[in-house]
């Protein structure tokens, strides 16, 4: 492989379309380093406890996979899927369950794994949903927290990074189902600003 190709971040590799461009916000190496710290924090709080991770599809898949491997000890996982709509300022905050859990969480130490905490409406719904199922412990870990967008009064127990109010993609996060496969957390830019950057 040539030197040029080795360091390539070509358009086809990043997969963006005309009028869109991405810039790295948090490089993958920094994400992985932070995950080690988060895993240590979590294991400090739950040293010998089997942890049941619940990933919220689809954005959390890489985060859960990488965090699970850093956690050590007994770990199991499950996934659920919700759809939220009307996320604008006039949002009703209505959240709908698309895929339920496969196994009961009663009496288990549960760690909800979310890629991003934005308005907090999804997490508010999820916490109520999980609490009704009587877990022994219920904690939340989020990779990214857009604090300034918060509407619901919720917080994560463990947070990877607090980020500004920008449209982020990559490392599981999408725009129209694209960009999830970017290794880094990136900012997606649209329009003429994007065209200049992508040339
Ligand atoms: C994202 C994220 C959270 C939710 C957070 O999911 O995974 O579930 O949005 O937003 P909120 O705090 O404003 O409620 P998204 O709906 O983008 O689905 P995805 O994970 O399948 O991409």
């Amino acid at each position: 492989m040539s030197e040029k190709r080795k360091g390539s971040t070509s358009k086809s590799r990043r997969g963006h379309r005309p009028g869109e461009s991405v810039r790295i916000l948090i490089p993958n190496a920094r994400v992985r380093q932070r995950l080690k710290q988060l895993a240590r924090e979590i294991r400090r709080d739950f040293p010998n406890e089997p942890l049941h991770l619940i990933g919220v599809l689809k954005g959390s898949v890489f985060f859960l996979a990488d965090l699970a491997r850093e956690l050590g000890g007994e770990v199991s996982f499950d996934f659920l899927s919700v759809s939220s709509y009307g996320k604008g300022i006039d949002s009703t905050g209505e959240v709908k369950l698309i895929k339920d859990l496969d196994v009961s969480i009663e009496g288990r130490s549960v760690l909800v794994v979310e890629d991003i905490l934005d308005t907090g409406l999804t997490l508010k719904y999820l916490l109520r949903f999980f609490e009704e199922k009587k877990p022994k412990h219920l904690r939340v870990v989020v990779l990214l927290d857009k604090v300034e967008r918060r509407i619901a009064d919720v917080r994560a127990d463990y947070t990877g990074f607090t980020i500004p109010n920008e449209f982020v993609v990559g490392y599981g996060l999408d725009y129209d189902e694209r960009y999830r496969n970017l290794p880094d957390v990136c900012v997606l830019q649209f329009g003429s600003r994007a065209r200049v950057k992508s040339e």
Side-chain angles (χ1 to χ4, degrees):
M1 189 185 280
S2 73
E3 274 311 298
K4 197 169 173 229
R5 283 191 60 204
K6 221 197 289 179
S8 169
T9 50
S10 70
K11 287 182 198 174
S12 58
R13 183 165 153 69
R14 287 178 297 186
H16 67 248
R17 293 184 181 177
E20 299 172 4
S21 73
V22 293
R23 72 172 163 80
I24 295 175
L25 182 67
I26 311 169
N28 183 270
R30 178 77 189 97
V31 171
R32 302 296 287 268
Q33 191 185 33
R34 183 73 186 115
L35 260 51
K36 287 183 197 294
Q37 295 169 340
L38 284 176
R40 274 200 295 273
E41 272 181 58
I42 295 164
R43 270 296 175 214
R44 206 177 297 138
D45 294 345
F46 298 93
N48 301 309
E49 193 90 18
L51 284 173
H52 190 60
L53 273 49
I54 297 181
V56 185
L57 294 170
K58 305 171 192 164
S60 68
V61 288
F62 297 125
F63 180 36
L64 185 142
D66 288 339
L67 182 67
R69 285 176 288 186
E70 293 295 342
L71 276 170
E74 191 176 322
V75 168
S76 54
F77 36 84
D78 200 350
F79 295 91
L80 100 173
S81 179
V82 291
S83 81
S84 44
Y85 32 93
K87 273 194 178 178
I89 288 168
D90 299 328
S91 170
T92 57
E94 196 172 351
V95 177
K96 197 171 144 199
L97 187 70
I98 303 290
K99 183 217 166 287
D100 204 343
L101 298 172
D102 289 340
V103 293
S104 167
I105 59 169
E106 189 173 341
R108 304 180 89 152
S109 294
V110 168
L111 183 64
V112 181
V113 182
E114 264 283 32
D115 52 336
I116 187 162
L117 183 51
D118 191 341
T119 63
L121 294 168
T122 307
L123 186 58
K124 188 177 175 186
Y125 167 87
L126 287 174
L127 287 175
R128 200 175 300 150
F129 179 79
F130 293 138
E131 268 155 14
E132 280 172 6
K133 298 177 184 300
K134 302 193 183 346
K136 181 178 170 191
H137 299 106
L138 182 60
R139 299 287 185 273
V140 177
V141 59
V142 299
L143 179 66
L144 307 170
D145 189 353
K146 270 190 191 176
V147 180
E148 61 192 276
R149 288 264 305 163
R150 197 78 83 254
I151 294 173
D153 184 22
V154 288
R155 50 173 289 278
D157 299 286
Y158 310 96
T159 300
F161 303 91
T162 298
I163 59 164
N165 184 18
E166 298 202 80
F167 199 103
V168 281
V169 295
Y171 197 70
L173 290 108
D174 75 309
Y175 170 59
D176 202 16
E177 293 301 324
R178 294 178 284 117
Y179 299 108
R180 291 193 197 275
N181 58 328
L182 294 178
D184 313 297
V185 176
C186 299
V187 172
L188 180 62
Q189 296 170 322
F190 302 92
S192 53
R193 211 169 136 218
R195 275 197 294 279
V196 171
K197 281 230 155 197
S198 65
E199 274 157 18

